[in-house]
Amino acid sequence: MVNPMATATHASMLGSANPGATAPAVSGDSPPPLKAESRGLDFYYSNSFQALKSIDMPVYENKVTALIGPSGCGKSTFLRCFNRMHDLYAGNRYAGQIVLHPDNTDLLAKDVDPIEVRMRIGMVFQKPNPFPKTIYENVAYGLRVRGMTQKNQLDDKIEESLRGAALWDEVKHRLGEMGSNLSGGQQQRLCIARALATDPEILLFDEPTSALDPIATASIEELVTELKKKVTILIVTHNMQQAARVSDYTAYMYIGELMEFDKTDTIFFKPKRKETEDYITGRFG
Amino acid sequence: MSDHTSSQFDSEMEAIRSGVLAMGGLVEQQFLRAIRFLQDDEQEPGAIDAVGAGEQQINQFQVQIDQQCAQVIARRQPAAVDLRMILTVTKVVNDLERIGDEVKKVAYKSAQGRGVERLSRVRHYEVARVANAALAMLRQALNAFARLDVEAAAEIVDEDETIDAGFAAILRQLISYMMEDPRTISGALDLVFVAKSIERIGDHTKNIAEAVVQVVKGKDVRHATAEQIRAEVAEP
């Protein structure tokens, strides 16, 4: 179990959700429980360029939310706020909140340790980036950082993570090989297994298939659909068809603003805003 | 509608749109020919062959446009307004083809049965009047499609009721003739079929109008009442 908190707890959280929050209205029935929420999020890079402008957006539990928009719209910047990646460079500045439910933790609060945040919120990048270590050690890394040392505990967790990433059957007899010996698609699944090892509550995918061939892409997309049973997923993608295929909700961003957020079915059939319609039909320019 | 970044995509969509309008124009022309058969007993030799040939052309349009739609789906993965347009076109093309069939029936039946004098009057006036109303409705529907004008489309939905009422009136009239004089039964039945075809044309035309609402509003109004459709159209 990735998230020990029962769904019922989250449902009750909804009732007590911050009344001041202005998350965009979603068409149709009542929305699922919230896993996280961005509230009035601004982000400034160290050169004081404002990359995000007052983003209010819900992240629903056990759903896949896709962030789409043209290059430079801030979707990757937004994604990286969720695991405090921007802290790695001095001078970057956040304002507003990203609240993680059910404990109502503001991920951006000064007293919240970014390392702790990253334990709860894993990330998978555009290019597969396994550590220059064995397959086993790639997955074990986060567990060791967490202080897990017992061999049998590690073995179990590594098998579970590799199975979760649909990689176990392909690598179970070669766990001692270098991660970099795997194919691109396998390396990406190894990175997913590495992220899964610490039982994250949210997984962030930053264009996870843009360096992969169509077959490897399909297997990652299939995996995303499988993973959402256990984790909440946020995915940035340039491939609109991919957003349409894998996501439950879609956010369209443009020049640092959230233009429209709705069910993926709505966004791709009858979005509310003309800007969104122009973008997803390829009329952007 | 602004242009796609891909001008090739633009021209594919434009080819489909203008194909539908050309097909619609042909159906209109066929309908005019059929109305001439209704109103005028004297026809140029070969006129009925022209109706047959026109119907073949309409069928070809249907196959060709459906194929173009399939190609856009396969190659472009259309979304939002493009997707709604493609889905709608395949339905509109189907309705136009069916209208073409009904129009042919009207022409053929009218060319066959000249019948007794009093029935000719029903055919020349009552049936022709409803046929002209259906033709006007079809023109409006095609215009609404060409301009993606939902207000005009909503009005058409109402007009179908006028056609239906006209059909019911013709039926009543023919029944009374048949009761008075059994010799009119055969000719009257032919006219019933003609009137029924025109009534069906009204239904197909209404489908086209509803399809326009689906393209623009993204709502499926096929089974909605006229009031519901007007409310949908009025929404910003």
Side-chain angles (χ1 to χ4, degrees):
Chain A
M1 267 306 278
V2 170
N3 184 355
M5 303 302 284
T7 324
T9 320
H10 293 187
S12 65
M13 289 304 302
L14 262 184
S16 62
N18 181 1
T22 49
V26 170
S27 58
D29 323 324
S30 58
L34 277 174
K35 181 62 209 168
E37 247 179 307
S38 161
R39 294 179 189 162
L41 177 66
D42 295 322
F43 179 77
Y44 304 85
Y45 279 108
S46 53
N47 59 2
S48 71
F49 169 73
Q50 185 172 6
L52 296 177
K53 296 165 191 164
S54 190
I55 306 255
D56 291 307
M57 193 189 91
V59 178
Y60 295 118
E61 188 171 39
N62 296 116
K63 300 290 176 196
V64 178
T65 302
L67 304 174
I68 61 171
S71 293
C73 72
K75 55 193 189 297
S76 288
T77 303
F78 183 42
L79 191 77
R80 285 165 192 196
C81 290
F82 279 81
N83 74 344
R84 301 268 298 263
M85 283 274 289
H86 300 297
D87 290 28
L88 302 175
Y89 303 93
N92 290 342
R93 189 159 59 81
Y94 310 91
Q97 294 181 311
I98 293 180
V99 178
L100 192 61
H101 294 297
D103 46 327
N104 251 328
T105 306
D106 175 12
L107 296 178
L108 303 179
K110 296 261 185 300
D111 57 343
V112 170
D113 178 3
I115 304 293
E116 272 305 308
V117 170
R118 288 172 207 146
M119 285 287 181
R120 297 180 67 179
I121 300 182
M123 184 147 183
V124 176
F125 297 85
Q126 188 168 356
K127 274 180 76 179
N129 56 351
F131 298 138
K133 290 172 179 287
T134 63
I135 295 170
Y136 185 96
E137 284 304 322
N138 260 280
V139 186
Y141 192 85
L143 298 168
R144 291 193 204 278
V145 170
R146 262 199 172 177
M148 189 184 280
T149 50
Q150 286 201 334
K151 175 92 171 79
N152 59 341
Q153 264 188 322
L154 281 169
D155 287 353
D156 286 352
K157 197 69 205 170
I158 284 161
E159 179 176 343
E160 183 193 316
S161 307
L162 286 167
R163 279 188 192 282
L167 189 60
W168 175 251
D169 289 337
E170 290 159 63
V171 302
K172 62 186 172 192
H173 299 304
R174 46 195 286 216
L175 295 173
E177 280 182 36
M178 294 299 281
S180 52
N181 287 356
L182 298 171
S183 73
Q186 287 173 326
Q187 287 187 25
Q188 195 61 311
R189 278 179 284 151
L190 179 61
C191 295
I192 293 172
R194 182 176 68 191
L196 285 176
T198 56
D199 288 337
E201 295 158 55
I202 298 180
L203 265 186
L204 309 173
F205 286 87
D206 193 354
E207 296 185 44
T209 63
S210 56
L212 303 182
D213 71 54
I215 304 289
T217 298
S219 75
I220 299 286
E221 288 178 5
E222 173 67 16
L223 183 57
V224 165
T225 310
E226 196 54 38
L227 287 172
K228 75 173 178 181
K229 293 173 187 161
K230 293 187 236 156
V231 286
T232 300
I233 293 170
L234 265 172
I235 180 168
V236 163
T237 175
H238 271 305
N239 181 334
M240 258 171 306
Q241 268 66 46
Q242 179 167 69
R245 285 191 299 264
V246 304
S247 70
D248 302 292
Y249 292 85
T250 297
Y252 170 56
M253 294 179 67
Y254 184 61
I255 338 184
E257 285 181 56
L258 178 62
M259 300 297 282
E260 186 164 351
F261 174 88
D262 211 323
K263 286 181 182 160
T264 298
D265 289 338
T266 305
I267 294 278
F268 282 87
F269 191 70
K270 183 70 175 86
K272 290 190 185 66
R273 297 185 69 145
K274 186 178 177 301
E275 294 91 334
T276 314
E277 182 133 47
D278 283 351
Y279 181 69
I280 63 164
T281 55
R283 287 184 170 83
F284 186 84
Chain B
M1 191 67 59
S2 51
D3 292 346
H4 289 98
T5 309
S6 158
S7 60
Q8 183 58 37
F9 191 2
D10 266 342
S11 53
E12 285 165 19
M13 291 300 286
E14 184 49 38
I16 288 171
R17 202 184 83 98
S18 55
V20 173
L21 294 177
M23 183 181 181
L26 189 55
V27 173
E28 256 186 70
Q29 195 189 342
Q30 286 280 95
F31 205 170
L32 267 174
R33 286 181 181 141
I35 290 173
R36 255 181 251 136
F37 276 101
L38 274 178
Q39 285 177 319
D40 195 349
D41 288 344
E42 298 304 316
Q43 287 288 322
E44 284 173 32
I48 200 70
D49 299 334
V51 173
E55 208 259 338
Q56 293 288 317
Q57 257 184 297
I58 291 171
N59 293 349
Q60 280 166 10
F61 262 118
Q62 181 192 29
V63 172
Q64 183 204 323
I65 295 168
D66 268 349
Q67 210 166 23
Q68 288 172 312
C69 288
Q71 278 162 2
V72 167
I73 292 172
R75 298 169 69 123
R76 306 280 177 192
Q77 293 93 46
V81 68
D82 298 325
L83 177 61
R84 301 197 307 272
M85 177 57 99
I86 293 286
L87 287 176
T88 298
V89 162
T90 59
K91 284 185 259 184
V92 166
V93 160
N94 195 45
D95 281 309
L96 284 175
E97 192 274 334
R98 299 294 297 277
I99 293 174
D101 287 348
E102 300 293 349
V103 160
K104 190 177 111 179
K105 281 189 220 165
V106 170
Y108 277 41
K109 277 266 178 251
S110 309
Q112 270 170 22
R114 292 290 160 231
V116 286
E117 172 63 26
R118 55 208 310 205
L119 286 184
S120 294
R121 262 210 313 276
V122 179
R123 186 155 60 84
H124 290 164
Y125 299 105
E126 265 82 348
V127 178
R129 188 181 56 76
V130 180
N132 274 309
L135 176 62
M137 184 175 158
L138 176 63
R139 279 197 181 123
Q140 268 178 287
L142 290 169
N143 282 338
F145 177 84
R147 298 191 202 116
L148 293 180
D149 180 346
V150 274
E151 279 89 16
E155 282 171 32
I156 292 160
V157 174
D158 280 338
E159 269 166 55
D160 185 39
E161 284 167 27
T162 318
I163 308 278
D164 289 350
F167 171 65
I170 290 167
L171 210 55
R172 272 197 306 275
Q173 207 174 353
L174 290 174
I175 287 170
S176 53
Y177 284 140
M178 287 189 273
M179 282 175 7
E180 278 170 27
D181 181 358
R183 281 173 300 174
T184 62
I185 287 178
S186 163
L189 279 180
D190 278 347
L191 266 191
V192 169
F193 285 120
V194 167
K196 182 64 191 169
S197 284
I198 295 166
E199 189 269 333
R200 292 296 299 150
I201 291 170
D203 293 342
H204 288 298
T205 305
K206 185 176 154 211
N207 290 347
I208 296 173
E210 287 165 350
V212 174
V213 179
Q214 172 151 32
V215 178
V216 178
K217 293 289 183 172
K219 286 276 169 62
D220 190 336
V221 292
R222 278 177 298 183
H223 303 289
T225 63
E227 287 77 54
Q228 286 168 329
I229 293 172
R230 268 194 298 272
E232 183 57 50
V233 165
E235 248 178 58

